[in-house]
Amino acid sequence: MSGNIQGRSSGKGHRAAGDTSGREGNRRPNSGKSGGAGHASANGASRSQKPKTSARALAVKVLSAVEQDGAYSNLELNRRLKEADLSPADAGLATELVYGTIARLNTLDYYLERFVAKGVSKLQPWVRSLLRISVYQMIYLDRIPEHAVVSEAVNLAKKLGHQGISGMVNGVLRNMIRQRDELRISEHLPVAERISLEHSHPLWMVERWIAQYGEEAAEAICRANNEPPAVSVRVNTTMTTREKLMQEMADTGAIVEASKLSSDGILVRSGGNMALTSWYRNGLFSIQDESSMLVAEAVAPEEGQNVLDCCAAPGGKTAHMAEKMQDRGHIVANDVHAHKRQLILDQADRLGLSCIDAVTGDALDLGERYPMSSFDRILLDAPCSGLGVIRRKPDVKWTKSVEDIEDISNLQRELLDRVAPLLKPGGILVYSTCTIEPSENELMVADFLNRHPEYSPAEASVCSESETVNLKVVNGGVQILPQDAHSDGFFIARLTRTAE
């Protein structure tokens, strides 16, 4: 595809469990279709000072930086939002334009290619970004009038370029409006190509998923990846109960419901930014995706046990394990990045957890730092391709390759081999990823079990709260696809060491 975004999502292995720090945060708002073109403040009053930039100008700058400089979309967006004087509505619009445009990238280019005389790839990056966000608004945001989209785009083109560019932008967009009925994906394309364009995923990825899961499931994966991610929180059971916290939240007007995946989870359908609430500040909950909550449930640590979290930052799963243990025992939370150690400590401090010992080092070297057979539980939340969290980090679609999957699989295999001797006989090792790639998941576990006869699949303890959520069980693990429970794609395997 011409003019591809080449930016990267931030964080270890492109994973996103939904915590508010570290690798997480690429969330597109559920309110993106509200327009957000005005400059009203949160209480409805007019702003006394005009913002230094508009939502659309900010989005163009972010997308251009992602494409030209390889910037992380979430970090670049957050930086520019902090610098700008935007209303909450405009900040929401800018966020929707950035993540929505990246999510629908090759579909937007497919439509534009017919109307840009020299081709999309020949445009300057900022012009390409401007046209993309404009077409995104016309097709996917139903409350922004088309004439307003064109007017804003032309005015922005004049400010950023010159009369000739603004004329071209005006002509392209007006021609697209006049021929709106032709902006559709042909039903006569080969299946993989149709899915690729209709749901905006790389063709190689769609073909791979069709081979792995079949046409119907592959299309469902792609469709689910374009859904806005749900907001879910995990109750800190050392401080309160799910029922009590849900009642408190409902009393303030929030719309909440119990998670069907995790007994500790709450889905927040409406209620504002959860990270700004007193419940969050006081440690009553953490923000985490439902699928990610199942990892600590699989580890099932018990009070007084010695637990190793090999790749722990930013500490969401570590904290969940500590809560499961009622903060009684010892958890070694290791991460390779020294600056992320503080993220783990900050989580523990906010949640009032004292049993977490955050350390820094390469997980491949853990065997040199701790005695063999010294841990009752081990969690290897492995670096991975991140193909399960595309709805949170749409950049992943355009930056990953088959070679990346092969490279990360080699690292995963070595990590498993290195940490396996650290588990006590009778203990539990949980291997988890936020990808749906079999070579990183069930095939990885099958290969490990074949080479390590001292290990075998443990009795499953990963189960949903509701029978309406069907999870695929393979090789002692559970594969969650994005469409299964409208949560992140995850793989969780529970293994036990049966001998020395």
Side-chain angles (χ1 to χ4, degrees), residues 97-331:
L97 292 180
V98 169
Y99 294 139
T101 297
I102 294 174
R104 298 287 185 173
L105 196 61
N106 66 345
T107 307
L108 299 175
D109 283 358
Y110 175 77
Y111 292 141
L112 277 167
E113 200 65 46
R114 296 171 51 196
F115 296 90
V116 177
K118 295 183 179 180
V120 176
S121 64
K122 301 295 185 182
L123 297 172
Q124 296 179 58
W126 73 265
V127 179
R128 187 161 50 239
S129 296
L130 176 57
L131 285 173
R132 283 170 172 166
I133 70 164
S134 300
V135 178
Y136 178 77
Q137 293 168 81
M138 288 163 49
I139 295 176
Y140 298 107
L141 301 187
D142 56 11
R143 294 192 182 182
I144 303 180
E146 291 177 338
H147 66 83
V149 173
V150 176
S151 176
E152 291 283 350
V154 170
N155 290 335
L156 190 51
K158 289 177 181 177
K159 292 179 182 178
L160 299 177
H162 52 71
Q163 193 70 32
I165 293 179
S166 66
M168 184 274 293
V169 168
N170 182 64
V172 167
L173 296 179
R174 291 195 181 279
N175 281 338
M176 295 183 80
I177 292 172
R178 281 193 289 268
Q179 300 179 53
R180 181 66 182 267
D181 291 342
E182 297 183 22
L183 298 182
R184 49 191 167 83
I185 308 299
S186 173
E187 297 178 358
H188 303 296
L189 293 171
V191 172
E193 189 174 349
R194 178 191 61 77
I195 294 174
S196 171
L197 290 171
E198 191 169 320
H199 302 291
S200 202
H201 281 66
L203 182 59
W204 74 265
M205 197 174 286
V206 175
E207 291 174 337
R208 192 176 182 91
W209 289 342
I210 288 176
Q212 293 166 345
Y213 294 103
E215 291 178 8
E216 184 178 349
E219 184 162 14
I221 291 169
C222 294
R223 184 183 297 111
N225 282 344
N226 288 323
E227 295 175 354
V231 176
S232 53
V233 302
R234 185 194 77 238
V235 178
N236 181 355
T237 53
T238 68
M239 292 188 177
T240 187
T241 65
R242 179 164 73 171
E243 292 71 24
K244 182 179 179 181
L245 184 56
M246 285 180 65
Q247 186 60 56
E248 289 183 23
M249 298 171 86
D251 289 344
T252 68
I255 300 175
V256 298
E257 63 185 74
S259 167
K260 294 180 180 179
L261 278 183
S262 171
S263 59
D264 296 329
I266 299 174
L267 284 172
V268 184
R269 300 303 187 187
S270 176
N273 189 334
M274 290 293 103
L276 300 180
T277 64
S278 59
W279 301 308
Y280 178 83
R281 289 194 301 273
N282 295 334
L284 296 184
F285 66 65
S286 296
I287 301 170
Q288 186 178 25
D289 183 80
E290 292 177 277
S291 296
S292 181
M293 296 179 199
L294 295 179
V295 175
E297 293 188 16
V299 177
E302 300 174 4
E303 294 183 23
Q305 287 189 331
N306 195 29
V307 179
L308 172 63
D309 189 349
C310 303
C311 308
K317 298 179 187 69
T318 311
H320 195 189
M321 289 190 292
E323 292 162 7
K324 290 286 186 186
M325 298 164 68
Q326 289 297 302
D327 201 29
R328 300 188 184 100
H330 180 232
I331 300 178

Side-chain angles (χ1 to χ4, degrees), residues 419-461:
V419 304
L422 296 175
L423 187 68
K424 295 177 181 178
I428 297 294
L429 184 156
V430 169
Y431 172 79
S432 65
T433 72
C434 61
T435 188
I436 61 173
E437 172 57 40
S439 65
E440 300 178 65
N441 296 340
E442 62 261 34
L443 298 180
M444 181 64 63
V445 171
D447 175 70
F448 173 79
L449 292 174
N450 185 56
R451 292 182 294 102
H452 290 268
E454 74 277 18
Y455 272 86
S456 64
E459 291 185 10
S461 70

Side-chain angles (χ1 to χ4, degrees), residues 72-84:
Y72 293 116
S73 60
N74 63 326
L75 299 183
E76 183 70 14
L77 176 62
N78 290 341
R79 181 181 71 82
R80 290 190 179 272
L81 284 175
K82 288 179 180 179
E83 295 174 351

